[in-house]
Structure formats: structure tokens, C-alpha cells
Amino acid sequence: MDKNIDFLLCVKDVKDNDTVLKMKNFIQHCDTSCYEHCYKVAFISYLICRRLHLDYKAAARAGFLHDLFLYDWHIKSEEHKPLHGFRHPYIALRNASKLYNLSKKEQDIIKKHMWPLTVIPPRYLESYIVSFVDKYCAIAESIDYYKENKRFQKLYRYAYLFFGLIIFKLV
């Protein structure tokens, strides 16, 4: 079976859930939505776990739900106090548990995806994989964003010089 189709079958009930779709309304890293970030983490974790003959279904599902906190963590408020990195795995687990009957492995993946911030280490290899993939995706999303902004900065600089020369010649 095609890996993309198999992945979509693993996360079908997750990716189209109304609560999970609300993650599209919140930015996770730079300009990447929480939903898009979780989709990437789930897919890459799925591929790695499948290749290693691990529980790729649990990795895909929990990877999709690992940041189900539904608030803008960039805005500090009384409700969402600082230390988001330490607290949000537990919030995501609580929210995901309201929607799904999660296995112990899926619970561990969600709760420990911020390891080593979540001091107690993951119990399963799939939990480590999702944790590392989460960090990889966060770094990649940030680099992509800053590379794109750098490109626009160069474009604006060249446009400024170009129009400056035109204006200078006209004067």
C-alpha cells in the first residue's frame, strides 16, 4: 500500500476532527500553523517508525495530537502562564484524551514529546522518535521562515537600489 495513503488512513479520524482543525487558527513556529506543524511531525514520525518496524500508527496519531493546546502561546496571559514548553504536553494530553481513547503508548508520546523539558524520559522508542522529529520540524520551520524573509530583504534592498538609481538619474 502507498505510504501516503496508509498514513492518511492512520490519522483519518484525527486530521478531520473539528477540535483538531481548530489548530489551524494558531501559529506554532514563525508562520507555520499548529495543525501544519503537527501534520509534519505525524507524517515524518510515521515514516521513521514504519521503516523501523515500530508502532507507526501510534506515532502518527499521537504525533498529530502532540500540540493540541488550542491557544496562542506567544501571548502571555493569566490563563496561559509562562513555561509553555513545560506545560503544554499535559494540556495537549488532556484535550486529546477528551476526544480519543488513547493507548498508553500514545499518551506517553504526547506527554513526553518535549523531553528533556519533561524531566521523566519517554517510555517507548516511538516517544523518542516523535520528540526528536518535533524538534527537527520546529528547527526546519524556523529556518525556512528566516530564509524566506532574508530573500525578501535582499529583494527589497535591490529594489531600493534600483529605484534609487532611477530617481537619481531623473533628478
Side-chain angles (χ1 to χ4, degrees):
M1 178 181 286
D2 180 21
K3 291 176 188 172
N4 293 332
I5 293 171
D6 190 40
F7 168 73
L8 292 173
L9 290 173
C10 288
V11 298
K12 184 179 187 322
D13 63 324
V14 175
K15 76 178 195 62
D16 296 327
N17 179 284
D18 289 338
T19 303
V20 173
L21 288 169
K22 289 179 183 175
M23 290 194 302
K24 290 182 176 185
N25 300 323
F26 301 99
I27 295 298
Q28 178 64 328
H29 304 113
C30 300
D31 63 350
T32 303
S33 76
C34 196
Y35 183 91
E36 183 182 358
H37 167 73
C38 288
Y39 189 100
K40 289 177 194 172
V41 170
F43 185 65
I44 295 170
S45 298
Y46 160 84
L47 291 175
I48 293 169
C49 288
R50 183 173 163 154
R51 176 78 178 207
L52 297 175
H53 304 288
L54 299 172
D55 189 349
Y56 58 85
K57 290 179 183 178
R61 293 173 57 75
F64 216 118
L65 298 167
H66 80 277
D67 281 339
L68 186 62
F69 48 81
L70 302 177
Y71 59 85
D72 187 348
W73 66 271
H74 303 91
I75 299 171
K76 302 299 180 210
S77 68
E78 194 55 37
E79 183 182 0
H80 308 112
K81 295 177 182 157
L83 303 176
H84 167 77
F86 294 93
R87 298 176 69 234
H88 83 271
Y90 302 98
I91 295 168
L93 178 59
R94 185 183 66 228
N95 291 339
S97 295
K98 289 177 186 175
L99 300 173
Y100 302 100
N101 184 18
L102 302 170
S103 69
K104 295 286 183 198
K105 189 178 289 184
E106 290 169 331
Q107 292 174 31
D108 190 69
I109 291 169
I110 295 168
K111 186 168 43 174
K112 304 213 181 123
H113 80 271
M114 287 300 290
W115 183 79
L117 288 182
T118 52
V119 186
I120 300 170
R123 180 176 225 152
Y124 304 97
L125 192 51
E126 292 88 347
S127 301
Y128 281 102
I129 290 169
V130 172
S131 180
F132 293 134
V133 169
D134 180 43
K135 287 154 186 60
Y136 165 79
C137 287
I139 291 167
E141 291 158 6
S142 298
I143 289 172
D144 288 347
Y145 175 79
Y146 289 110
K147 279 171 51 178
E148 187 67 28
N149 278 350
K150 200 69 166 166
R151 190 175 311 133
F152 281 118
Q153 288 173 0
K154 285 181 182 177
L155 178 65
Y156 288 132
R157 192 175 327 135
Y158 292 134
Y160 180 79
L161 287 171
F162 177 74
F163 288 112
L165 288 172
I166 291 174
I167 292 170
F168 179 76
K169 289 199 178 222
L170 293 175
V171 175

